[in-house]
Amino acid sequence: MNKTMPVPRLLRLNDILAPNGPIPVSKSSWWNKVRSGEYPSYVRLGPRTVAWKESDIHALVEKLSGALQ
């Protein structure tokens, strides 16, 4: 039996930040928080290409929405 694990979906920055994505911060704020560890780290796809796991972004949105309540 060949069991394959589902491949996690990867999101690029344009899919994460507003207006297309759920997180309304600037690119510079996003990168500062990634560097500080407050936001999830990225997966390197190439020398100048990075993406984030969709599950990590969903967890971040849940964390941020909980902080607003």
Side-chain angles (χ1 to χ4, degrees), residues 24-64:
V25 298
S26 68
K27 285 183 181 181
S28 59
S29 293
W30 173 263
W31 281 110
N32 286 335
K33 291 185 183 231
V34 168
R35 279 188 217 90
S36 74
E38 191 175 339
Y39 286 176
S41 187
Y42 51 85
V43 175
R44 186 164 294 282
L45 302 177
R48 294 179 46 133
T49 307
V50 297
W52 285 262
K53 292 179 190 174
E54 184 179 39
S55 59
D56 291 346
I57 299 306
H58 280 296
L60 176 62
V61 169
E62 289 294 319
K63 176 184 163 187
L64 294 174

Side-chain angles (χ1 to χ4, degrees), residues 5-17:
M5 293 180 53
V7 177
R9 184 166 176 232
L10 298 175
L11 301 175
R12 299 292 305 277
L13 197 54
N14 286 339
D15 299 321
I16 298 169
L17 302 182

